[in-house]
Amino acid sequence: LQVYQHKGLFEGAELAPGFKSPTPEKMSYTDYIKYSESSMPPESPPLFGLHPNTEIGYLTNSADKLLFDILTISGGGNAEGDSGNKGDAVHETMHGLLER
C-alpha cells in the first residue's frame, strides 16, 4: 500500500492524456476540484485507453438505430402500402413530443 500511496503521487502525474495534476499543497481542496472540473479533457476513447476509432462503431450503430426508428415511425418500412401520408405519422408524433 505504501508503494501505491505516497506524498508525491499526484504531483505532476498525468491523470488523463493531456491532463497533469497540479501540486496539491499549492491549492486548496476547493481550488483543486475546480481546476479538475474545468481542465479535464472531454470524454473520448483515448481517455479510457481505447483506440481513437472506437467511437466510430458506436456512432454508426446509434445512427443506424435512429434512422431505423424514424423509418418505422414514418411507415417507410411498411410493405402493405398505407393509403395515408407517411409524413403525417412523424408530424403528429413530433407535435405530441413537443406538447409534453
Side-chain angles (χ1 to χ4, degrees):
L1 190 60
Q2 290 177 354
V3 172
Y4 292 113
Q5 296 200 357
H6 52 85
K7 187 173 181 171
L9 179 66
F10 290 113
E11 289 182 13
E14 190 172 37
L15 302 177
F19 177 70
K20 291 195 180 233
S21 173
T23 306
E25 287 85 22
K26 295 181 180 178
M27 301 178 132
S28 70
Y29 177 77
T30 306
D31 292 336
Y32 196 84
I33 295 296
K34 286 180 184 177
Y35 171 78
S36 297
E37 289 175 350
S38 65
S39 301
M40 183 70 85
E43 288 186 8
S44 65
L47 187 64
F48 300 101
L50 301 171
H51 190 276
N53 291 342
T54 305
E55 196 171 20
I56 292 172
Y58 170 74
L59 295 174
T60 301
N61 291 338
S62 296
D64 283 346
K65 181 173 176 3
L66 175 67
L67 294 173
F68 176 78
D69 291 345
I70 290 172
L71 190 61
T72 302
I73 290 172
S74 68
N78 191 356
E80 297 173 9
D82 288 337
S83 60
N85 187 358
K86 293 179 182 180
D88 288 343
V90 175
H91 190 65
E92 290 174 15
T93 304
M94 299 270 295
H95 279 293
L97 292 173
L98 288 173
E99 288 174 0
R100 291 183 192 174

